[in-house]
């Protein structure tokens, strides 16, 4: 197997297994995802992870209505990481990091501190994935700007005995 890898231009053979078939399949799936991410990063480049690249871009957008919408969308990944780590996103916005002009400075949720994202262990996203996220955000902005309205949650009717007594129940607020 190692000779086949060497002849095929590969670097190594990675053995992935587990105690049960389900565990082995889960680990294999994660290894394949990692391999695809590494290949995409090598092919298309890498950007700072943990939402740092998006936050850096968001600070440089114009203050037009469209720019504000995209800016809020770009800040969302870092805010979600902060909430999952038990930290208020407002803390990250107030602090801004040691160097707001450096896109490679980001907040590490695991350590709870600001770190260099290109230092080991590096935290990066593929440029292709980041570009796809930006294109999706821009598509949303275009749609909202053209239509002027967005339906985010449609209310469901309450079952009633007669059509006259049927009422609409207000949906719960989004979390």
């Amino acid at each position: 197997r190692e000779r086949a890898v060497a002849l095929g231009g590969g670097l190594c053979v990675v053995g992935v297994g587990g105690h049960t078939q389900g565990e082995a399949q889960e680990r294999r799936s994660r290894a394949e995802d990692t391999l695809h991410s590494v290949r995409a990063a090598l092919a298309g480049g890498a950007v700072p992870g943990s939402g740092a690249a998006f936050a850096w871009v968001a600070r440089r957008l114009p203050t037009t209505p469209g720019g504000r919408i995209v800016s809020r969308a770009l800040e969302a990944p870092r805010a979600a990481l902060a909430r999952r780590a038990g930290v208020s996103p407002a803390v990250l916005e107030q602090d801004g990091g040691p160097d707001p002009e450096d896109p490679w400075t980001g907040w590490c949720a695991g350590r709870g501190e600001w770190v260099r994202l290109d230092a080991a262990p590096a935290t990066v996203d593929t440029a292709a994935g980041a570009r796809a996220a930006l294109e999706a955000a821009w598509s949303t902005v275009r749609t909202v700007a053209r239509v002027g309205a967005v339906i985010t949650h449609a209310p469901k009717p309450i079952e009633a005995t007669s059509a006259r007594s049927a009422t609409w129940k207000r949906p719960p607020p989004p979390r």
Side-chain angles (χ1 to χ4, degrees), residues 46-49 102-106 111 115-124:
V47 297
D102 182 14
W104 286 98
T105 302
R111 289 189 264 177
V115 297
R116 289 282 305 167
L117 297 173
D118 54 351
T123 306
V124 297

Side-chain angles (χ1 to χ4, degrees), residues 35-100:
L35 178 64
H36 292 302
S37 294
V38 169
R39 284 183 179 159
L42 288 173
V47 297
S50 299
F54 293 152
W56 188 79
V57 170
R59 288 191 292 267
R60 283 150 183 80
L61 290 175
T63 57
T64 61
R68 286 192 299 269
I69 292 170
V70 173
S71 178
R72 287 182 64 193
L74 291 175
E75 292 286 348
R78 191 165 71 166
L81 284 172
R83 279 192 299 275
R84 276 188 243 133
V87 177
S88 171
V91 172
L92 298 183
E93 292 306 315
Q94 288 171 348
D95 189 3
D99 186 7

